[in-house]
Amino acid sequence: MNDAYAPTPEDRFTFGLWTVGNPGADPFGPAVRPKQDPCEIVRKLGEIGAWGVNLHDNDLVPFDATPTERDRIVSEFKKACEESGIQVPMATTNLFSHPIFKDGAFTSNNPQVRAFAIRKTMDAIDLGVELGAKNYVFWGGREGTEVEACRDPRTAIQRIREGMNFLCEYVIDQKYDLKFALEAKPNEPRGDIYFPTTGHMLHFIETLQHSEMVGVNPEVAHETMAGLSFVHGVGQAMEAGKLFHIDLNSQKIGRYDQDFRFGAEDPKQAFHLVRLLEGTADGDRWEGSRHFDAHAYRTEDLDGVWEFARGCMRTYKILKEKAIAFDSDPEVQQLIAEIHDPEIDPLIKKYSRDHVKKLRALHLDADLLGSIGLGWERLDQLVIEHLLGSR
Ligand code: DIG
Ligand code: MN
Ligand code: MN
């Protein structure tokens, strides 16, 4: 069957081992699904048309594996990826599960914990590079507080900066072709997590010694938890040339980190996000992985998990088709056409005394300008009609 929404390698859809492998445990109940073998997950991802798989070190190699066990596991996994034509574009470190990290990894008050975190991350970077990863994500899930008195926030920031600078130097010294992508989240599992939003991360990156190799990995659910526009956060990261990776899912505002199927809760925001990533309105298509950091509802069995994965990719492609139709709709184009004013445009783009003089001499009728209707009601109705298929 020729399915217009079937995923293709060009879509660059990826899933983490921990996403489709999520066994459904939550703080109120145990796993509801069997643990899946990473090689089986890879084979299944190949079958449903995904392009790649991502992983934390311990999604594949157990925390206490011996070097020999590690090499065997990695070799089998590489073989499964090759056989299934699955790439490994991104890797990351689990710096949040083991109790050693219960009060943070890079921000821990204990230098032995900070040393352990750096060492574990170096090993995980080696693993990611061995598997072909070009992006390395840092999600500081435990880097935060419940008891604010435990450390000065400035100290926490300095410790994370030391860790990032050390690890950037490690990558450079190893001559790895690898970039770092920092992922923000406002809370959960910690009461308050440092660098809670993508905006905080974008500033922090500029304070690093090798900021050129560090970008962001914004996640839909995390910016939404912070009550922010995900589309604006991604737009700012893109505009800064710092959108190195992205975590797609969906989220109801004011809830725990739901990590639902892409588009499930917020099709309108997802639509505008796809417009941005695909460049249907303006700019080039963003060429990074479309990574679904999401998992199936706890109600689902393994069939439901793969239905979830198909749904993420299918919704993305349906929204892409609608974004193309919307941005090529003549009425939409007319409503959002850029207003050009050859006399004023140059004046406000660059400062000069001459421009100051001309700006001061301009006749601008504030009341007239304030009376002009923008037509955004009609524009948003067109968004809804394209989304609902009546246009
Ligand atoms: C959670 O949103 C985090 C972890 O799953 C992982 O470190 C990162 C990678 O996408 N997202
Ligand atoms: Mn994530
Ligand atoms: Mn999440």
Side-chain angles (χ1 to χ4, degrees), residues 50 52 78 86 106 108 119 133 147 176 179 218 242 262 296 343 348 352:
K78 282 163 80 171
I86 289 286
F106 300 126
S108 167
R119 190 175 68 189
V147 178
Y176 288 156
K179 294 194 292 189
K242 289 292 183 182
F262 180 65
E343 183 197 2
I348 51 181
S352 73

Side-chain angles (χ1 to χ4, degrees), residues 18 56 90 92-93 96 137 139 183 217 219 222 247 257 291 293:
W18 72 92
H56 301 85
M90 180 273 274
T92 182
T93 326
F96 45 85
V137 163
W139 171 61
E183 178 174 345
N217 175 45
E219 177 175 311
H222 300 177
D247 275 1
D257 187 9
H291 173 235
D293 185 8

Side-chain angles (χ1 to χ4, degrees), residues 36-328:
Q36 297 176 77
D37 176 81
C39 295
E40 185 49 31
I41 289 176
V42 165
R43 277 187 281 277
K44 198 70 185 152
L45 285 173
E47 280 172 24
I48 67 168
W51 175 69
V53 67
N54 303 315
L55 70 157
H56 301 85
D57 48 351
N58 300 138
D59 295 336
L60 181 65
V61 180
F63 187 90
D64 51 4
T66 65
T68 308
E69 286 164 347
R70 178 255 185 230
D71 291 348
R72 175 185 57 74
I73 291 166
V74 171
S75 161
E76 286 171 5
F77 185 74
K78 282 163 80 171
K79 184 165 174 289
C81 290
E82 278 152 25
E83 288 168 355
S84 303
I86 289 286
Q87 308 297 312
V88 182
M90 180 273 274
T92 182
T93 326
N94 185 322
L95 294 175
F96 45 85
S97 294
H98 193 284
I100 186 175
F101 301 124
K102 62 190 177 186
D103 190 31
F106 300 126
T107 60
S108 167
N109 288 6
N110 187 331
Q112 290 184 49
V113 174
R114 300 202 298 271
F116 191 97
I118 288 178
R119 190 175 68 189
K120 187 174 196 283
T121 305
M122 287 191 288
D123 293 345
I125 285 173
D126 293 344
L127 171 61
V129 169
E130 184 178 346
L131 293 171
K134 293 284 184 282
N135 267 314
Y136 202 83
V137 163
F138 289 79
W139 171 61
R142 298 282 182 199
E143 313 292 11
T145 58
E146 290 78 38
V147 178
E148 200 47 47
C150 75
R151 73 179 68 85
D152 184 314
R154 293 165 294 183
T155 305
I157 290 168
Q158 286 148 15
R159 288 174 182 165
I160 293 187
R161 182 180 297 117
E162 284 162 8
M164 287 295 111
N165 286 339
F166 186 102
L167 291 161
C168 281
E169 292 277 352
Y170 176 71
V171 166
I172 293 165
D173 196 20
Q174 297 297 314
K175 296 184 176 37
Y176 288 156
D177 175 15
L178 194 70
K179 294 194 292 189
F180 287 175
L182 309 187
E183 178 174 345
K185 187 176 180 181
N187 59 69
E188 190 195 35
R190 298 308 298 266
D192 286 291
I193 297 179
Y194 299 116
F195 303 116
T197 73
T198 293
H200 289 83
M201 288 295 190
L202 286 169
H203 171 268
F204 173 62
I205 288 165
E206 296 313 313
T207 73
L208 297 176
Q209 277 168 352
H210 299 283
S211 58
E212 73 288 349
M213 63 185 279
V214 186
V216 289
N217 175 45
E219 177 175 311
V220 175
H222 300 177
E223 300 297 306
T224 305
M225 285 169 74
L228 301 174
S229 160
F230 186 66
V231 172
H232 290 185
V234 170
Q236 184 173 353
M238 287 174 99
E239 202 276 337
K242 289 292 183 182
L243 186 67
F244 285 10
H245 198 265
I246 196 166
D247 275 1
L248 301 175
N249 53 29
S250 72
Q251 173 77 27
K252 264 197 185 121
I253 196 160
R255 307 295 200 282
Y256 64 93
D257 187 9
Q258 294 177 310
D259 293 342
F260 285 159
R261 184 182 77 257
F262 180 65
E265 292 298 332
D266 52 359
K268 192 174 177 183
Q269 170 180 258
F271 170 72
H272 288 302
L273 175 65
V274 170
R275 290 181 64 218
L276 203 53
L277 296 178
E278 295 300 326
T280 52
D282 196 0
D284 300 326
R285 179 179 189 267
W286 181 70
E287 293 303 332
S289 304
R290 272 71 174 158
H291 173 235
F292 298 106
D293 185 8
H295 52 77
Y297 303 127
R298 189 167 185 262
T299 54
E300 302 308 292
D301 60 11
L302 287 185
D303 288 344
V305 165
W306 298 107
E307 203 47 53
F308 146 81
R310 287 188 198 92
C312 286
M313 298 187 287
R314 192 171 176 79
T315 297
Y316 187 102
K317 294 208 75 169
I318 292 168
L319 289 174
K320 177 179 174 180
E321 181 184 73
K322 291 185 178 297
I324 293 167
F326 175 79
D327 283 307
S328 51

Side-chain angles (χ1 to χ4, degrees), residues 3 223-224 335 345 351:
D3 177 3
E223 300 297 306
T224 305
L335 279 164
D345 284 347
Y351 177 85

